[in-house]
Amino acid sequence: MIAHVKIKKDDVGHLIRALNQNYDKVVLVGIPKDKTTREDEPITNAAIGYIQEYGSPANNIPPRPFLGPGIKKSREKIIPLFEKAAMAVLSGDEKAIQANFEKAGLIASACVKNYLATADFKPLSLATIRNRAYRNGGRGVAGAKEELARLRAGGKPNNNLVRPLIDTGQLLNSITYVVRDRKDTGKDGKT
């Protein structure tokens, strides 16, 4: 897309200030520090997210990437917003820059959540399903006892009754976005 900007006056100084202030902003999607703690758990949402994304061979947990693929699913929707933000930098419209970054973050985090909730991940192990089925004083987690019975009857594992990555919903609910200055995120834009 080529955009034409009609120059009304020479204000290079304003343009340079706008570029310097806004070029170094980034949109980060994931689990920020303030969303990482879990109720009654020593492990954090950030740690669980990392383990799920990359796996843990020592704990027999396969990788189930959700963050990267979820963001890739959002690209078609968020690239135009970054283009609009770039045009807003040229016109010095800081509110439009921030608004487009916020919209991009909201869409990307929603796509990650949707991917986490619907992707066809490697099914849970029998031990994990059994754990979910008999947790909470034997009441278990919705669908876990049915999935366990189905597997015991010779059915193949699937994600219909018991979703990998979604147990209590705390990991899913912790996914969000932040707009930050690149200098506050480290060299690579990550926190």
Side-chain angles (χ1 to χ4, degrees):
M1 173 178 119
I2 298 176
H4 299 279
V5 177
K6 191 172 188 178
I7 299 175
K8 296 180 182 176
K9 67 177 184 171
D10 181 5
D11 196 358
V12 174
H14 174 74
L15 177 61
I16 291 171
R17 281 189 304 280
L19 286 170
N20 285 335
Q21 288 175 342
N22 296 296
Y23 179 71
D24 281 341
K25 289 187 186 256
V26 293
V27 177
L28 303 172
V29 177
I31 304 166
K33 288 180 184 177
D34 65 339
K35 297 269 188 174
T36 196
T37 57
R38 296 175 65 87
E39 298 172 16
D40 303 326
E41 293 282 337
I43 191 167
T44 66
N45 284 318
I48 291 171
Y50 183 88
I51 291 167
Q52 295 298 345
E53 187 80 13
Y54 298 103
S56 175
N59 293 303
N60 201 27
I61 299 172
R64 293 182 176 103
F66 64 94
L67 188 59
I71 290 173
K72 282 183 184 176
K73 293 250 182 215
S74 75
R75 289 184 67 153
E76 216 173 274
K77 296 175 184 175
I78 64 174
I79 287 174
L81 295 168
F82 288 123
E83 290 171 350
K84 286 180 183 178
M87 293 307 297
V89 167
L90 294 176
S91 65
D93 188 348
E94 292 183 31
K95 286 183 180 179
I97 297 164
Q98 186 70 24
N100 282 294
F101 277 16
E102 296 283 340
K103 285 179 192 175
L106 188 62
I107 290 170
S109 62
C111 285
V112 168
K113 288 179 179 184
N114 183 57
Y115 187 85
L116 188 144
T118 62
D120 191 24
F121 295 110
K122 182 174 181 172
L124 295 171
S125 71
L126 183 59
T128 301
I129 295 168
R130 189 178 303 116
N131 177 297
R132 287 188 186 185
Y134 294 105
R135 191 179 321 143
N136 300 329
R139 291 190 320 263
V141 176
K145 286 187 179 180
E146 293 88 343
E147 177 68 358
L148 190 57
R150 205 180 62 66
L151 291 172
R152 286 181 176 157
K156 291 187 179 182
N158 67 48
N159 296 329
N160 293 335
L161 293 171
V162 181
R163 295 282 316 154
L165 307 185
I166 299 178
D167 186 2
T168 64
Q170 290 184 59
L171 177 64
L172 180 72
N173 292 334
S174 70
I175 297 168
T176 190
Y177 73 94
V178 292
V179 177
R180 290 207 180 130
D181 290 333
R182 188 179 305 276
K183 67 180 175 12
D184 296 335
T185 62
K187 292 181 183 178
D188 58 1
K190 299 177 182 176
T191 56

